């Protein structure tokens, strides 16, 4: 069990925000611990997406009609940390991440509670969440399909194949949060296969588009409160490795295995 | 007037959906106009367009939401193009999705190799956990659709194009997972022909009608679990088998049965190694690939040796 108070009880806004920020700090410590495991982890993207994950779970963790899918599955460390801190999984993922016999694999594992779909092969989480959203629509329920994807992931045609269907079938109960950290495995997205005019691209597929700071919890929560009669795309500007000065903004920090002493130093330096 | 397998599918699914609100029908621009499901249940019919990977992943989300999605397209665009979606959503995660794949084998005839699929059973089999059915004729197709709708398991149902056949007689209470033995049941035959799929079953019917030395066993389900379940019954029939299947030899049911019955002789009448590069009817393309009545008779003769069958 974790030591963080659950955050979904009604509490004053400022206290709620402070609570969430405290949770993100704990989550970052867990991610750093997973980077210090025998296997290491995708630390850069995990640290860029963690504020978004914590924000989304804080709002929807008790909504059984809403599914949250981390489509950029390589950042499983962030998802495991989030599920643990929200008491959705019992075991501390950092204690067995990547180990023989552990379900905490390097990409999300549907054998764990509250992970309905094993992502990791990029693109698949988006149509899965869209299918869930379509199901809620057929049942006349107000549940959502929420997907957190990466900007590099948008190089996969499957993302746009799905956007086409979302528009065609008017799946408006859908939120696509793009963690725009600008990096991917081999370097910068802008160098490898740039995503020009991302806002216009999503708009052309019938999405309402909002741009936010993906590390600003107030903006994240405000964006999730937006009324939208179209599918909503949140383009969240983030920093790869956010919170650890030594690797912030460095695409080479996509994956790292660090010694314990470095992990301790990085955890102490978290703001 | 009998219907083809794929027309039977559409009609049967539309009927089932009257009593089962969880059934969803998904097409990928190949369902044709005046689809009976769309006409009967427009709120549960979705033509998602030419987007096979997304369609299967969307079906996974629908399945998770409690629905029973049936997704239909041509075999090649399902099993080959969308293989990764099938592997993950249906094989690994065992989502309750049913794929109905028309144009199996070379039933597309003159449409050419892009529209043929001689590899699908091998591909789907390798993903584990997925029931694979190759029904023959209208009644068996309808029964398989019924069984798929009732089952919690993922299904891959291989159909052909527009050929119309009468299914072999099957007892009302029997499942399509039971072997059908044509004619009187007898044991220790010199050769057991095993038919899988429509054309193969028609070929084996022809042979069994004129050759008393062979017994004909028809298999509708050919996933590994089903094949394992047949072994005891098959070995009662014979110790020599010739599996007739419109498929490549690689990953065929013959190859799987050979591994499951190492003490038996298992031969394969399949579509060989050539690419079907010419047009023509379904039968013309099969002839080019060496799959048909005459080569099958020759193969039976060769297996029988000097004594013949």
């Amino acid at each position: 069990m974790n030591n963080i108070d659950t955050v979904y009880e009604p509490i004053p806004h400022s206290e709620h925000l402070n609570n969430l920020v405290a949770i993100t700090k704990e989550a970052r410590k867990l991610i750093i611990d997973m980077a210090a495991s025998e296997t290491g982890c995708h630390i850069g993207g995990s640290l860029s997406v963690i504020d978004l994950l914590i924000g989304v779970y804080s709002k929807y963790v008790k909504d059984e009609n809403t599914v949250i899918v981390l489509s950029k599955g390589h950042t499983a460390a962030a998802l495991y940390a989030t599920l643990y801190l929200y008491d959705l999984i019992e075991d501390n993922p950092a204690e067995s991440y990547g180990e023989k016999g552990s379900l905490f694999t390097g990409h999300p594992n549907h054998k764990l509670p509250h992970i309905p779909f094993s992502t990791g092969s990029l693109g698949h989480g988006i149509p899965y969440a869209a299918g869930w959203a379509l199901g809620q629509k057929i049942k006349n329920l107000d549940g959502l399909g929420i997907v957190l994807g990466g900007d590099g992931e948008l190089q996969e045609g499957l993302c746009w194949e799905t956007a086409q269907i979302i528009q065609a079938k008017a799946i408006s109960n859908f939120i696509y949060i793009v963690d725009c950290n600008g990096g991917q495995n081999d370097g910068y997205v802008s160098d490898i296969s740039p995503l020009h005019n991302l806002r216009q691209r999503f708009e052309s597929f019938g999405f309402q588009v909002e741009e936010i700071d993906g590390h600003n919890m107030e903006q994240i929560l405000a964006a999730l409160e937006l009324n939208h009669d179209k599918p909503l795309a949140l383009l969240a500007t983030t920093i790869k490795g956010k919170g650890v000065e030594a690797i912030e903004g460095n695409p080479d920090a996509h994956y790292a295995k660090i010694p314990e002493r470095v992990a301790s130093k990085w955890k102490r330096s978290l703001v | 007037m009998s219907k083809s397998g794929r027309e039977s599918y559409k009609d049967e699914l539309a009927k089932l959906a009257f009593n089962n609100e969880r059934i969803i029908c998904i097409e990928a621009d190949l369902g044709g106009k005046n689809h009976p499901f769309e006409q009967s249940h427009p709120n549960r019919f979705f033509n998602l367009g030419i987007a096979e990977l997304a369609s299967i992943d969307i079906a996974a989300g629908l399945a998770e939401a409690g629905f029973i999605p049936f997704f239909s397209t041509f075999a090649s665009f399902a099993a080959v193009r969308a293989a990764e979606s099938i592997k993950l959503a249906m094989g690994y995660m065992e989502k309750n999705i049913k794929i109905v794949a028309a144009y199996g084998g070379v039933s597309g005839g003159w449409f050419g190799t892009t529209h043929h699929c001689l590899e699908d059973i091998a591909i789907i089999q390798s993903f584990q956990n997925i029931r694979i059915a190759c029904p023959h004729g209208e009644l068996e197709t309808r029964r398989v659709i019924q069984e798929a709708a009732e089952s919690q398991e993922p299904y891959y149902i291989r159909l052909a194009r527009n050929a119309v056949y009468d299914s072999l007689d099957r007892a009302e209470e029997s499942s399509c997972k039971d072997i059908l033995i044509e004619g009187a049941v007898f044991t220790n035959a010199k050769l057991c022909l095993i038919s899988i799929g429509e054309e193969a079953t028609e070929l084996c019917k022809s042979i069994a009608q004129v050759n008393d030395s062979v017994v004909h066993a028809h298999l509708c389900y050919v996933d590994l679990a089903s094949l394992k379940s047949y072994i005891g019954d098959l070995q009662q029939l014979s110790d020599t088998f010739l599996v007739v299947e419109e498929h490549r030899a690689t990953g065929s049911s013959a190859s799987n049965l050979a591994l499951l019955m190492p003490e038996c002789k298992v031969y394969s009448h399949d579509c060989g190694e050539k690419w079907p590069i010419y047009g023509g009817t379904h039968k013309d393309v099969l002839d080019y690939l060496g799959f048909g009545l005459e080569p099958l008779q020759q193969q039976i003769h060769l297996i029988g040796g000097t004594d013949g069958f």
Side-chain angles (χ1 to χ4, degrees):
Chain A
M1 295 292 290
N2 64 72
N3 295 315
I4 298 295
D5 293 335
T6 52
V7 294
Y8 30 84
E9 301 302 331
I11 51 176
H13 182 67
S14 59
E15 191 181 332
H16 182 52
L17 269 181
N18 290 339
N19 200 355
L20 289 185
V21 170
I23 292 176
T24 62
K25 186 173 177 181
E26 291 305 309
R28 284 192 161 86
K29 288 180 185 172
L30 286 166
I31 292 167
I32 292 167
D33 282 340
M34 284 181 255
S37 66
E38 282 299 310
T39 57
C41 79
H42 286 90
I43 186 170
S46 294
L47 292 172
S48 73
V49 79
I50 191 62
D51 300 301
L52 294 162
L53 267 172
I54 296 291
V56 169
Y57 271 85
S58 77
K59 181 166 170 58
Y60 291 104
V61 67
K62 281 196 163 179
D63 182 351
E64 62 183 22
N65 293 330
T66 290
V67 73
I68 303 166
V69 181
L70 179 69
S71 192
K72 47 175 292 182
H74 52 286
T75 58
L79 179 62
Y80 297 153
T82 302
L83 295 177
Y84 177 62
L85 294 172
Y86 279 95
D87 275 340
L88 297 172
I89 50 177
E90 280 188 17
D91 298 332
N92 182 339
E95 290 175 0
S96 69
Y97 179 87
E99 288 181 5
K100 180 181 178 182
S102 171
L103 290 174
F104 294 110
T105 47
H107 294 83
N109 192 333
H110 72 282
K111 299 292 183 185
L112 286 165
H114 301 283
I115 297 181
F117 196 84
S118 287
T119 53
S121 176
L122 293 171
H124 290 286
I126 297 123
Y128 173 76
W132 172 274
L134 180 59
Q136 303 311 301
K137 202 176 147 185
I138 298 167
K139 291 193 272 192
N140 289 317
L141 297 174
D142 58 2
L144 298 171
I146 301 177
V147 66
L148 295 100
D151 49 355
E153 184 178 21
L154 287 167
Q155 291 162 357
E156 283 284 0
L158 182 52
C159 305
W160 301 106
E161 186 173 310
T162 307
Q164 174 81 23
I165 292 172
I166 287 170
Q167 181 179 32
K169 301 304 169 193
I171 304 174
S172 56
N173 55 334
F174 184 81
I175 301 178
Y176 190 164
I177 303 171
V178 185
D179 173 16
C180 299
N181 66 23
Q184 58 187 104
N185 192 68
D186 286 355
Y188 291 106
V189 174
S190 57
D191 288 340
I192 293 166
S193 182
L195 300 159
H196 298 298
N197 307 318
L198 200 49
R199 168 183 272 275
Q200 289 90 333
R201 283 199 206 188
F202 273 105
E203 285 175 343
S204 73
F205 280 97
F207 280 68
Q208 176 181 329
V209 181
E210 302 292 336
E211 295 178 47
I212 60 172
D213 175 346
H215 299 304
N216 183 318
M217 192 57 73
E218 193 158 16
Q219 285 190 30
I220 294 168
L221 296 182
L224 293 173
E225 293 294 336
L226 286 170
N227 287 321
H228 54 98
D229 54 9
K230 299 175 179 180
L232 177 63
L234 299 179
L235 307 184
T237 302
T238 61
I239 297 168
K240 209 155 184 169
K242 172 69 177 177
V244 176
E245 198 176 346
I247 58 170
E248 275 190 2
N250 184 352
D252 291 340
H254 185 78
Y255 195 99
K257 179 176 180 301
I258 57 174
E260 281 288 347
R261 59 179 173 74
V262 173
S264 298
K265 185 178 167 188
W266 286 4
K267 284 191 286 186
R268 281 198 305 274
S269 71
L270 287 170
V271 179
Chain B
M1 178 73 180
S2 297
K3 291 180 184 291
S4 68
R6 57 182 184 145
E7 291 306 317
S8 308
Y9 155 63
K10 293 181 208 172
D11 190 64
E12 187 63 32
L13 193 69
K15 283 182 181 168
L16 291 174
F18 282 110
N19 295 317
N20 189 340
E21 293 187 348
R22 295 167 60 212
I23 291 176
I24 302 269
C25 180
I26 301 173
E27 291 281 355
D29 194 44
L30 292 171
K33 297 193 190 320
N34 304 316
H35 197 299
F37 196 102
E38 182 178 22
Q39 292 176 332
S40 306
H41 316 284
N43 295 334
R44 286 184 279 154
F45 177 86
F46 299 96
N47 185 345
L48 297 184
I50 309 158
E52 295 81 8
L53 279 84
S55 294
I56 290 170
D57 291 337
I58 284 172
L62 285 164
E64 192 70 20
F67 292 100
I68 306 168
F70 279 72
F71 168 64
S72 183
T73 184
F74 292 176
S76 192
F77 310 143
V80 183
R81 189 181 195 115
E84 193 193 36
S85 292
I86 298 172
K87 169 194 157 187
L88 294 174
M90 297 171 66
Y92 181 41
M93 287 178 264
E94 298 180 70
K95 303 293 185 191
N96 187 14
I97 300 168
K98 323 295 179 183
I99 292 178
V100 181
Y103 276 61
V106 293
S107 57
W110 66 92
F111 279 75
T113 294
T114 55
H115 283 53
H116 295 154
C117 198
L118 291 166
E119 307 82 11
D120 52 342
I121 294 171
I123 293 168
I124 302 295
Q125 191 80 272
S126 67
F127 296 152
Q128 319 298 322
N129 294 331
I130 302 172
R131 287 283 177 200
I132 303 172
C134 304
H136 162 254
E138 176 175 356
L139 288 180
E140 195 170 67
T141 301
R142 289 183 185 274
R143 293 278 288 273
V144 165
I145 299 303
Q146 292 163 15
E147 290 174 3
E150 288 167 9
S151 168
Q152 298 294 311
E153 297 171 306
Y155 263 64
Y156 179 84
I157 300 165
R158 188 204 221 206
L159 304 178
R161 187 170 173 262
N162 292 335
V164 176
Y165 294 119
D166 291 327
S167 303
L168 297 173
D169 290 337
R170 187 182 285 280
E172 189 70 31
E173 67 279 8
S174 99
S175 159
C176 292
K177 288 177 186 152
D178 297 335
I179 300 179
L180 271 186
I181 299 162
E182 200 186 14
V185 176
F186 62 97
T187 57
N188 300 319
K190 288 182 179 174
L191 176 68
C192 176
L193 290 176
I194 295 178
S195 66
I196 294 162
E198 295 208 315
E199 299 306 318
T201 305
E202 289 297 308
L203 289 178
C204 292
K205 276 167 63 180
S206 302
I207 302 270
Q209 280 164 10
V210 297
N211 190 334
D212 292 338
S213 301
V214 303
V215 61
H216 170 203
H218 168 70
L219 308 184
C220 178
Y221 283 80
V222 295
D223 52 275
L224 209 53
S226 296
L227 291 178
K228 284 178 183 173
S229 75
Y230 302 139
I231 297 306
D233 287 344
L234 288 174
Q235 289 181 333
Q236 293 286 313
L237 294 173
S238 181
D239 61 4
T240 305
F241 300 91
L242 175 53
V243 184
V244 186
E245 186 175 25
E246 191 175 333
H247 195 271
R248 300 284 190 202
T250 304
S252 64
S253 301
S255 64
N256 286 314
L257 286 168
L259 290 171
L260 291 169
M261 299 187 292
E263 64 281 22
C264 296
K265 292 178 182 170
V266 180
Y267 299 90
S268 171
H269 186 71
D270 53 59
C271 289
E273 295 161 7
K274 288 192 290 191
W275 288 103
I277 56 175
Y278 300 112
T281 64
H282 186 184
K283 183 177 181 308
D284 292 335
V285 180
L286 287 173
D287 285 346
Y288 172 72
L289 297 173
F291 185 97
L293 190 57
E294 196 176 320
L296 179 58
Q297 285 170 326
Q298 288 171 4
Q299 196 172 359
I300 291 169
H301 184 72
L302 283 172
I303 293 168
T306 50
D307 292 340
F309 285 135

